[in-house]
Amino acid sequence: MAAIAAATPLLAARGVTVELGGQPVLRGVDLEVRAGEVVGLLGPNGAGKSTFLRAATRLVPLSGGSLEVEGTGLERITRRDLARAVAVVQQLPEAPGTMLVEELVLLGRNPHLGLLSRESPHDYAVAVDAMRRVGCEEFARRPLHTLSGGQRRRAFLARALAQEPRLLLLDEPNANLDVQAQAEAFELLLALARDGVGVLVAVHDLTLAAAYCDRVVMLVEGRVIASGAPADVVTSEVVARVYGDRVMVIPHPQSGAPIVVPAVMERSDA
Amino acid sequence: MSVEAPQARPLGASAGAGRRALASTGPIAVCTLLLVGVAVLSLTQGAASIPAGTAVAFVLNRLPFVHIAVDAPASWETIVVDVRLPRLLVAGVVGASLAYSGAAYQGVFRNPLADPYLIGVASGAALGASIAIVSPLESSSYEFGWVPLLAFAGAAVAVLLAYGFAQSGRTVSNTALILAGVAISSVASAITSFILLTGGDRAQPILSFLFGSFNTATWARLTVGTPYLLAGAAVIALHARVLNVLQLDEEQAAQLGVDVTRSKLIVLGAASLIAATAVAMAGVIGFVGLVVPHVTRMVFGGDYRRLLPLAALLGASFLIGTDVLARTLLRPQEVPVGIVTAMVGGPFFLYLLRVRRLGGF
């Protein structure tokens, strides 16, 4: 692991600045993701988390700073090569309702296929493997519009895995999932990281991020205000500064990881 | 649970591939049979009713090394081979082209209401044809003369203008493209209407161009037009998988390695080339490019690698069939085929809408 960590970072953002419609959304963000680690991108609504993920796949232009994927400037990578290295799971991705799960997952092989080539047995095997890994093989032949929110998320995650990415970007992969499913989703990310994938995940839930991420980056109004180990970032001071005084941070009874809870001292009807 | 067990490994490499091959050849075979049936019907129908066996024998005799003895009047052979066959082929080729390019348009715009005329092909072609018809240019309508040539040029100019106006920076948004197309179309249509109103008797052929007709179907038109159609179709076929990816949305397509702007430009260019050629051959025939790809999608699913060839086969069958109706409904008078496609296609489409909800998108 040490050797990989010492190598070129999968994603290196230096002073990334993005303006949307004249409004600054990211103001000089520095961030690195290395192979085998799960990095959490934290911050309140509108902090720029999603914009950063979009910038990292060249969907929005930078007005300053630089982004490199595996040491190469983003602007010098073709879409196809970028999609072979980086896969994205958007928050609420759209797709035709009649598309089957397996058809969706197979689209993840697109960056590996030339104009003239069809999916080979290997491509099918990778897609099947991806579906097995996220546990969506039992509904592989169902159209997307028949799926529950959680199943749908797994289908799109399987598509991202079918790309065989070295870097995986996820936007709120736990939104609308029940507690158990959230834990399962993050455990899957940990397993991917153990296989050497770099994971950058935008999360609202500080507790979840603190429990699963190797490092976290706290973004506020487009700036990084704290980054490092979860225990150093998810602290009472930082949380109070970012979110206000209605929350408090307590240690997990077993692991000691920070847990963020509402700071309610007494119920008004008590 | 036991019922679902066989589906548990749907993409299992070899077995899955075999099943998929079967799933894609089955519909192709069915649609090809339908096309052959309609084609034979088309050869037999008309002022002279010629038995199917005789008509097919006449056609087959034109192939090398085929000699079938036929006991029938010599004039029948002329009717079948020189009149009905080119007409059948033009109708089939135009129907296939409009349906194929309509499928591509719907794929690029991710919209079931898109058709090959969306960004100016039809109105541009109509204007070009109108200019050719009222101008002093010689407009022999029985060869590939000035009318189809200027129709083609008009369609190309309209589409290029729409694309040019819609472009901002390196990207082209679908909405801007549609709006620019609507604007260009309305200007072109206004000029066409003006020519039609002020042109007097000279302008009458414009009407038949606007409704579409196979009266002018000749071997010359077929041989001149077909290379453009094949080239356009080949380019789109190469992008069938990209069209599948584009069905997600443009951001996801980009994240899956598609150069969205370039792919859209290539596919729209090829689809417009096909549509412009088809319109130059037979005038503005509506509805085929909208309804046929849509129905194909409802019946056979949204995988463009299957959808494109199936839409072409069904489009050919549909237009050959409606041409038979157009020739026989008010015999000996002929109804413009564009009117028949709308009269037949409209109610059928409404029926499908009631039976099945607008699916596929």
Side-chain angles (χ1 to χ4, degrees), chain B residues 22 26 51 62 128 146 148 153 160 210 247 252 269-270 273 277 283 293 303 330 337:
Chain B
L22 195 67
R62 290 303 165 110
W146 285 105
L160 288 176
L210 288 177
Q247 298 321 296
Q252 288 181 73
L273 174 70
T277 310
D303 182 342
L330 299 177
V337 68

Side-chain angles (χ1 to χ4, degrees), chain B residues 138-157:
Chain B
E138 188 203 353
S139 63
S140 155
S141 52
Y142 292 96
E143 290 302 325
F144 211 99
W146 285 105
V147 173
L149 221 58
L150 285 197
F152 183 84
V157 169

Side-chain angles (χ1 to χ4, degrees), chain B residues 219-300:
Chain B
W219 290 106
R221 290 204 173 187
L222 264 179
T223 46
V224 174
T226 303
Y228 296 100
L229 299 176
L230 292 179
V235 168
I236 293 174
L238 285 177
H239 286 77
R241 195 187 64 243
V242 169
L243 281 172
N244 283 344
V245 181
L246 273 173
Q247 298 321 296
L248 298 168
D249 60 44
E250 293 186 4
E251 284 207 352
Q252 288 181 73
Q255 289 169 339
L256 286 169
V258 174
D259 185 333
V260 174
T261 306
R262 210 186 77 197
S263 302
K264 271 165 68 175
L265 175 62
I266 292 173
V267 174
L268 276 184
S272 302
L273 174 70
I274 295 175
T277 310
V279 172
M281 277 186 181
V284 182
I285 297 169
F287 229 70
V288 183
L290 171 67
V291 174
V292 173
H294 198 90
V295 170
T296 313
R297 182 179 293 106
M298 285 168 89
V299 177
F300 298 109

